[in-house]
Amino acid sequence: MPSKKILSEKQELVKALAEKLGGSISGVLVDYKGTDVTMDTEMRRKMREAGVEYTVIKNTMLRFATAEVNLEGLHPFLEGPTAVALHVDDPVAPAKNVFAYIGKDKPMQVKAGFVEGRVISAAEVEALSKLPAKDVLVAQVLGTMIAPVTGLATVLNANIRGLAVALQAIADKQSAA
């Protein structure tokens, strides 16, 4: 049985981790076994630049924290070495950044993830990583919504231009006669 001081420290760690999980829109659980220090350092730097928080955490602490924020669906994936990549605003950023470092020569594996409180599988995390960033998606949706209005404005402008040309032709014909 741990001392009161150690137990208190662990409870504070779980509380802080639960706040991070609860405040994040998305996250990815990663098995980092086999990664070397060079790759890990480079990956952490790139993730920091993208606003993704990447942390190696004990499964026990993560189990308690996920229980506090209703992410118990992640419990079956809390085996072996586990790291968590989290982002506060962008649901795609953790998946994109993790999959940027997964490949034949990179031994990391995705265990599972979550988006807006919903647990998703490794395959769903991979599909999420292939989506464009949130800003790009918003721009695409707005472009699609604006396209009909732009087309209508172009057609109406062409009709007005045609009317102006016709009136000018009539005026030229009458002034010539």
Side-chain angles (χ1 to χ4, degrees):
M1 176 109 174
S3 69
K4 288 184 179 182
K5 179 183 176 188
I6 293 173
L7 186 59
S8 173
E9 289 172 0
K10 288 183 178 183
Q11 288 172 337
E12 289 299 316
L13 176 68
V14 168
K15 183 179 177 184
L17 184 58
E19 287 176 9
K20 285 181 188 177
L21 289 170
S24 298
I25 195 166
S26 66
V28 177
L29 296 182
V30 180
D31 181 347
Y32 62 91
K33 183 175 35 185
T35 57
D36 61 4
V37 175
T38 306
M39 184 186 116
D40 189 59
T41 304
E42 178 188 344
M43 181 181 66
R44 285 175 186 265
R45 183 179 55 78
K46 293 278 188 185
M47 286 192 180
R48 253 191 316 274
E49 290 171 3
V52 176
E53 185 176 338
Y54 179 80
T55 310
V56 173
I57 191 81
K58 289 188 172 209
N59 289 326
T60 306
M61 300 298 145
L62 196 53
R63 190 171 285 112
F64 285 125
T66 54
E68 283 189 29
V69 292
N70 297 321
L71 288 171
E72 290 91 354
L74 294 173
H75 290 182
F77 303 103
L78 300 178
E79 298 292 327
T82 305
V84 182
L86 302 170
H87 199 282
V88 177
D89 299 325
D90 191 352
V92 179
K96 275 192 174 305
N97 282 279
V98 166
F99 272 95
Y101 287 91
I102 292 182
K104 292 179 183 174
D105 57 333
K106 297 167 185 156
M108 287 178 39
Q109 292 183 346
V110 170
K111 294 180 176 187
F114 69 91
V115 177
E116 295 181 348
R118 181 179 163 265
V119 175
I120 59 175
S121 69
E124 290 171 310
V125 172
E126 184 175 5
L128 189 63
S129 74
K130 294 175 182 174
L131 287 175
K134 183 179 179 181
D135 295 341
V136 174
L137 285 173
V138 169
Q140 288 174 345
V141 169
L142 288 176
T144 304
M145 292 171 60
I146 292 173
V149 175
T150 305
L152 177 63
T154 303
V155 168
L156 291 176
N157 194 22
N159 287 340
I160 292 171
R161 188 179 307 118
L163 177 63
V165 168
L167 290 174
Q168 185 63 42
I170 293 171
D172 291 344
K173 187 177 185 180
Q174 287 180 350
S175 65

